Amino acid sequence: MATDKELSDFLENVQRRAFKQAVYAVRKDEAALDIVQDAMIKIAEKYGDKPAAELPLLFQRILQNTIHDYFRREKVRNTWVSLFSSLGSSSDGDGHDDFDILETYEPEIGGRQGRTPTNAFDHR
């Protein structure tokens, strides 16, 4: 059973090396800080009762899994960002930047017997 002092000392000793490892993996300082912080919180909350000798191996596994989780989240985030950016306004020069079907509705000529509908759902 690791005491609070042992756990605190372990985390203090490993933080710099863990940060370097995370920065090397993700290439972003802010993301690396978040990863290391998440890994430290996870080991303190879930494995604080383990013996001090097991902490280094546990922490390395937690750190690696947290880095993998970061890449999974980034992949999903990038997929959604690219999807929504392709749905955004496309300025291709045709003048239809803000297309709204209800505002630009024009009734068909010929099949309505001279009547123009008052809204898009008036089909009588």
Side-chain angles (χ1 to χ4, degrees):
M1 301 290 238
T3 64
D4 289 341
K5 175 76 170 129
E6 288 174 329
L7 181 60
S8 178
D9 289 343
F10 167 74
L11 291 176
E12 187 177 329
N13 290 334
V14 78
Q15 72 181 358
R16 181 171 297 223
R17 194 168 0 125
F19 175 71
K20 287 181 180 180
Q21 185 176 355
V23 167
Y24 183 75
V26 300
R27 304 282 190 229
K28 296 179 185 175
D29 288 349
E30 297 84 14
L33 282 172
D34 290 340
I35 289 169
V36 172
Q37 183 180 20
D38 288 346
M40 287 182 168
I41 289 171
K42 287 176 187 177
I43 198 165
E45 287 178 347
K46 299 189 182 201
Y47 300 102
D49 58 342
K50 296 288 184 182
E54 294 180 13
L55 291 179
L57 293 175
L58 282 171
F59 184 73
Q60 281 302 311
R61 175 55 60 192
I62 291 170
L63 182 63
Q64 288 298 315
N65 288 342
T66 308
I67 290 170
H68 290 301
D69 291 344
Y70 168 80
F71 283 120
R72 275 190 225 112
R73 283 191 305 262
E74 279 293 305
K75 182 178 179 182
V76 170
R77 186 177 300 122
N78 290 339
T79 300
W80 283 104
V81 166
S82 65
L83 174 68
F84 285 126
S85 67
S86 68
L87 292 176
S89 64
S90 60
S91 298
D92 53 359
D94 62 358
H96 292 95
D97 291 338
D98 294 321
F99 179 74
D100 186 5
I101 189 69
L102 296 178
E103 291 178 3
T104 59
Y105 178 75
E106 294 182 19
E108 296 177 15
I109 298 176
R112 299 285 180 192
Q113 300 170 348
R115 276 189 72 222
T116 58
T118 56
N119 64 31
F121 301 105
D122 189 9
H123 297 290
R124 295 184 278 177

